Amino acid sequence: MNDIRRKNVKNLPVAVIIGATSKWQADGPNTKLAHGSAVDDSDVPVSIRWGIGGAIAQKFAAEGYFVVMTTRTAANAEGLAAAVEAQGGACMIVELDVTSQDSIKEAFQLIRKEGGDPDVLVYNAGYLEGRTLPKEMELLEHFPIEMFDTALQIAARGPFLVAKEVLPAMRERQSGSIFFSNNTECLRGRKRGTGGSLYYPRVMMRNLAQALTEEYSEFGVHVVNLVIDGGIDSPGVRAMPTGGSKGTPAVLAGGLSLIDPMKIAEAVHYLHGQHPSCWSHEIQLTPFDRKPAY
């Protein structure tokens, strides 16, 4: 059942975050897969505890938006909602399953009723498909069809259905922003490594962003494909042996820096505020100490 934490009683502009929590948060599925259980995030800054979606939610709430945080299970976002409220922000949790057209439609009916038409939509849904497969199953011939179907649902069909829910009002209003949180596999096909998701359907998300740019820019709708080129700082990653420690920057194995999700959030907020005479439609965010992916 959908959980309404608060209505938009002040009629604030609305920012919707699809996938507001992180697979690598303290009790996220990636964290439990890697560590066997949840981890302690008490020493982790609140700005990164819920990954990209959580950081974007906190940033837009701090900038005066009513933030709608969607997640498959409302309990996953309770901690994030409490953090937003503690910072003086207004928010609402809505359960949404991006693999279900009915769930998407019902969720946006609720969002429009209790929050209003979105001014900003950030599609940040991710998936685990393939991460549990061992090294001997890296090749496509071993990849289960049901995992492939889930990847397609979340990386291609889900963004299409979500965009259909917000584009009519944005077009009529002649304003609005849609941001797709993507990764480097949208730039070119690569072999799937052990522990990696099946990411090549992500190219369809990039193509959707490009098509929507051509179709809707003239109506004042700003669409951006956001390429996240690096690991994201989060509780589950910090708990790795090479993940960093309290008081030190978090790093990946090999010493490469992780991306601070709040800096991604700041980039998204900047993009939303760009003047229409100078819009960016794709940006790539890469840590300073690694070569950008192409």
Side-chain angles (χ1 to χ4, degrees):
M1 180 177 292
N2 292 310
D3 172 24
I4 306 172
R5 178 166 288 272
R6 185 186 296 171
K7 295 183 180 181
N8 189 4
V9 295
K10 295 183 179 180
N11 198 29
L12 301 172
V14 178
V16 178
I17 318 301
I18 305 296
T21 56
S22 169
K23 299 184 296 297
W24 285 101
Q25 67 190 54
D27 58 352
N30 269 7
T31 300
K32 291 179 178 178
L33 177 65
H35 301 286
S37 63
V39 300
D40 180 11
D41 65 0
S42 60
D43 288 338
V44 177
V46 68
S47 61
I48 71 168
R49 289 181 186 174
W50 299 278
I52 297 173
I56 293 174
Q58 292 176 73
K59 175 62 178 177
F60 274 86
E63 295 293 339
Y65 286 76
F66 180 77
V67 176
V68 180
M69 301 169 294
T70 84
T71 177
R72 287 175 62 94
T73 305
N76 292 339
E78 288 290 345
L80 172 58
V84 168
E85 291 174 340
Q87 297 164 22
C91 64
M92 165 184 176
I93 302 173
V94 175
E95 290 186 346
L96 185 154
D97 179 357
V98 296
T99 67
S100 167
Q101 183 176 1
D102 289 340
S103 175
I104 292 172
K105 186 172 293 293
E106 291 171 6
F108 275 94
Q109 287 174 348
L110 181 61
I111 291 168
R112 287 188 287 267
K113 177 182 177 182
E114 307 295 349
D117 285 315
D119 297 87
V120 183
L121 173 81
V122 181
Y123 189 91
N124 184 55
Y127 48 92
L128 282 167
E129 306 316 299
R131 292 187 185 274
T132 60
L133 299 177
K135 183 174 179 58
E136 58 269 21
M137 295 184 70
E138 285 183 350
L139 299 179
L140 182 140
E141 64 194 77
H142 303 304
F143 203 93
I145 294 174
E146 59 271 18
M147 287 188 175
F148 174 71
D149 288 340
T150 300
L152 279 177
Q153 289 271 2
I154 298 176
R157 188 170 182 266
F160 168 80
L161 292 174
V162 167
K164 284 177 68 69
E165 290 291 335
V166 300
L167 281 168
M170 290 183 176
R171 175 179 52 78
E172 291 177 8
R173 194 177 59 232
Q174 298 281 295
S175 68
S177 297
I178 299 177
F179 302 105
F180 295 105
S181 175
N182 217 329
N183 57 37
T184 56
E185 277 71 14
C186 77
L187 302 177
R188 63 176 297 272
R190 293 178 174 84
K191 176 185 177 183
R192 183 185 64 86
T194 304
S197 299
L198 181 67
Y199 277 136
Y200 76 77
R202 289 280 186 163
V203 70
M204 298 178 72
M205 189 187 299
R206 186 191 191 201
N207 282 357
L208 175 63
Q210 292 169 339
L212 292 182
T213 290
E214 294 206 2
E215 291 182 8
Y216 285 89
S217 287
E218 64 182 283
F219 298 110
V221 182
H222 187 186
V223 184
V224 180
N225 183 54
L226 192 68
V227 183
I228 311 300
D229 183 15
I232 310 300
D233 196 0
S234 55
V237 177
R238 283 205 175 193
M240 299 289 190
T242 55
S245 60
K246 183 178 180 181
T248 63
V251 296
L252 285 168
L256 293 176
S257 298
L258 292 169
I259 301 175
D260 183 338
M262 187 51 73
K263 300 307 176 184
I264 296 175
E266 291 173 1
V268 171
H269 183 261
Y270 159 76
L271 289 167
H272 177 58
Q274 281 185 320
H275 191 272
S277 68
C278 190
W279 273 351
S280 301
H281 294 291
E282 181 168 271
I283 67 168
Q284 184 167 337
L285 302 175
T286 311
F288 73 98
D289 56 357
R290 64 176 288 167
K291 294 180 180 179
Y294 300 105

